[in-house]
Amino acid sequence: MAPYIDEALLDDPEELSRKDSRATLRALASAGAQVREALTLAAEAGIDRLAEHDRPRSVLVAATGGSSIVADILELLAEPGSPVPVQARRNLPLPGWVGPLDLVVAVSLSGRAPGPLAVAAEAARRGASLLTVGADGSPLAEVCHRARGIHVGTGQATRTSSRTALWTLLTPVLVGADRLGLLDAPLPVLQQVADRLDERAEEMRPASEGFVNPAKLLAVQLAETVPVILGDGPLGGVAAARASAMLARTARVPAPFGELPDAASGIVACFDGPYAGLARSRPGTYDEGRIRLGDIDTSGWEPHHFAEPEGELMERRRGPAAESGTGGRDIFADPFLDGPAAPRLGLLMLRDAPVTPPTPASVEAETLTDAVLTTAREAGVTVMEVRAGPGEHVVRLADHLAVVDFTATYLAIGLGLDPSVSPHVADLRDRTR
């Protein structure tokens, strides 16, 4: 049985605020402001000094938990044109090749995360250059200052969580990478990111009614499914990983994710599994492939079909799939006698903005994405699509991240959960101290 989501609650700003104990929605809405504040803090920290030195032999990024996406994004954006390798690292051991010619970037909102802190300390011991982002006065800041590196503080975001302070942590890293020539993220582009995040925050604000708020609409759809998430390429793949993490940590909903083209077969194989619409009914049930959202497809029927006795009509409408046990949901099933229906598989496809003019590679990618979506719909899978708006890579990525972050938060609240407080996570922390 699918979990119950209170749609009326999602349209009540006061109730949303009451159930959101640590103002997660407000923190997400501040993403554009985070970018602007981080630009100021990075400049004050002297991040431009990175350009005064020789380009490093390699760059290693240490981040864990809610901050780990910073490393993923830097890898994504730097990979196409970076003259040096960029690699993510969650914890020790630090690779043996890291030394004085390399740059280590360590990110932790509190400045106390064991993995990034240990990586930064070991990098400093080996004489590597350091760029750190975290709370001022934290152990991470102290390690960086002793190593004569560049530390960027986190300003107002220090009082939030790493999940909602993404742009506070990411922006200085993008600025530093731009100064080193690893990627193209000049000030005008980052200002566009801030503007796009502001636009999305306005569009998905709590006071925006559910029928026009894309995040609320998507949250309601996801609540009715067992979700899987696909990105249609590298950019969508990073966003899909973020969506999976946010759904799990914020809404407590597990959601496998992948990236096309590699994950196509793995995800499509689920379409004939126990949660797919055409694979979970009993022999002889109604063929759901002919009914969608209450509309009956009468293509190919003769007028006299409607005059036939019900038994004969149903026999005509049963297809081979139904007779073999692969029909869709039985709309005549009695939930009291037969039990609640299993939730339907849902595919959330995160699509990049169209490439203009199209290239052979973009056409091939679009063809594969469309094929996956067509296969999903024909299998009775609930399909949800989110398309990024136009702009530079990081601007389009910001589009996706805003949608999935707000969606996961609305989903949590609609399910009666506090998006920022998990008793089981608190128990785990207590047991591992």
Side-chain angles (χ1 to χ4, degrees), residues 111-194:
R112 299 177 182 277
L117 182 57
V119 168
E122 177 61 15
R125 189 187 69 79
R126 298 189 193 178
S129 300
L130 278 183
L131 169 62
T132 59
V133 183
D136 287 319
S138 65
L140 183 63
E142 291 302 316
V143 167
C144 187
H145 290 323
R146 286 198 300 268
R148 298 183 179 179
I150 299 172
H151 177 78
V152 181
T154 49
Q156 298 295 320
T158 304
R159 297 191 292 271
T160 64
S161 73
S162 57
R163 282 175 290 139
T164 57
L166 167 60
W167 293 97
T168 291
L169 300 172
L170 175 61
T171 303
V173 177
L174 295 178
V175 173
D178 177 77
R179 300 298 185 271
L180 292 170
L182 309 184
L183 50 80
D184 190 23
L187 180 60
V189 170
L190 294 177
Q191 289 172 336
Q192 291 172 25
V193 169

Side-chain angles (χ1 to χ4, degrees), residues 11 202-205 207-217:
D11 282 338
E202 173 67 18
E203 185 181 21
M204 296 180 285
R205 66 192 188 280
S208 173
E209 295 183 343
F211 64 90
V212 295
N213 187 317
K216 291 180 181 180
L217 287 168

Side-chain angles (χ1 to χ4, degrees), residues 235-254:
L235 187 145
V238 170
R242 171 71 170 188
S244 176
M246 287 294 288
L247 286 172
R249 182 64 178 84
T250 303
R252 282 66 133 185
V253 172

Side-chain angles (χ1 to χ4, degrees), residues 367-380:
T367 300
L368 174 60
T369 302
D370 290 339
V372 170
L373 294 176
T374 299
T375 303
R377 292 186 178 102
E378 291 179 351

